[in-house]
Amino acid sequence: ETLCDRCRRLSSGEILPAVVEGRLKRPSGAAVGEEGRGITTPEALRGVLLPLRERPALIALLVDLTDVAGTLLPRVRELVGGNPILLIGTKLDLLPRGTEPERVADWLRGAARKIGGVVDVHLVSSKSGDGLQAAARALLAERRGRDLFLLGAANVGKSAFLQSLLPLVSPATPRHLPLSASTPGTTLSLLPID
């Protein structure tokens, strides 16, 4: 199996920082603006995503249901422009027993009003599969020939969601699937999936 240097290091258990905030120091010997191997700045990551503003796309914005306040990206509109957003609450299986998913979805719809342009809300568990069929149907119905982009904060479950979603929407298995890990920033780039 061929792995990039970052993936090889992650698969061997090495913990690598993914996004370096301005307050963190550069590795010794690194020039200004050179944060080091496997590390990107928030500005560089934002630069990669800014072209989304100019292209027709459907945005699947993932939020962690156990930390909505910390994972609902408040400035997502700056990145995606007027593109429609389908909000997907992940980790449904981690909510306390007796939690009513429809009440959580209603609450999430209210929280999403501040970002605007949210066309639908779905709650899913990539682990148990709950809600995935409905989310897949909604994504396919809303897509309307546009490219689909999954966005979300670190460790919100983007890779796990994509791995669970693909068998529901595509008969072919892509050559490269994202790696799921508890380390933030494991999958930190655009991954084209045909």
Side-chain angles (χ1 to χ4, degrees), residues 1-14 16 36-39 179 186:
E1 183 177 350
T2 304
L3 299 174
C4 71
D5 183 55
R6 178 176 173 73
C7 292
R8 181 187 52 73
R9 292 168 67 194
L10 284 168
S11 65
S12 67
E14 193 172 337
L16 301 174
R37 186 188 234 174
I39 302 172
L179 179 67
T186 303

Side-chain angles (χ1 to χ4, degrees), residues 140-156:
L140 291 172
E142 268 311 315
R143 187 169 172 215
R144 298 182 192 141
R146 298 174 286 210
D147 287 334
L148 170 66
F149 288 85
L150 299 182
L151 295 182
N155 282 31
V156 77

Side-chain angles (χ1 to χ4, degrees), residues 50-147:
L50 273 177
L52 285 178
R53 294 179 60 83
E54 307 303 323
R55 68 190 287 180
L58 173 62
I59 309 303
L61 178 60
L62 278 62
V63 296
D64 183 336
L65 291 173
T66 66
D67 183 18
V68 173
T71 59
L72 183 60
L73 302 175
R75 296 170 56 192
V76 70
R77 275 283 158 224
E78 293 175 20
L79 298 174
V80 304
N83 284 313
I85 295 173
L86 193 121
L87 187 61
I88 299 175
T90 62
K91 304 180 185 179
L92 178 61
D93 56 297
L94 297 181
L95 295 181
R97 285 180 209 233
T99 301
E100 297 176 34
E102 194 49 48
R103 290 186 71 187
V104 174
D106 287 342
W107 176 81
L108 197 53
R109 281 182 193 92
R113 283 191 193 107
K114 63 183 165 188
I115 59 174
V118 174
V119 295
D120 206 355
V121 172
H122 287 271
L123 309 183
V124 301
S125 167
S126 297
K127 184 177 181 179
S128 70
D130 291 340
L132 284 169
Q133 288 281 353
R137 282 192 302 273
L139 287 167
L140 291 172
E142 268 311 315
R143 187 169 172 215
R144 298 182 192 141
R146 298 174 286 210
D147 287 334

Side-chain angles (χ1 to χ4, degrees), residues 16-28 30-36 39-43:
L16 301 174
V19 176
V20 173
E21 297 177 24
R23 69 178 187 275
L24 297 177
K25 295 181 182 177
R26 285 182 293 283
S28 60
V32 173
E34 184 181 308
E35 279 69 28
I39 302 172
T40 189
T41 63
E43 294 78 23

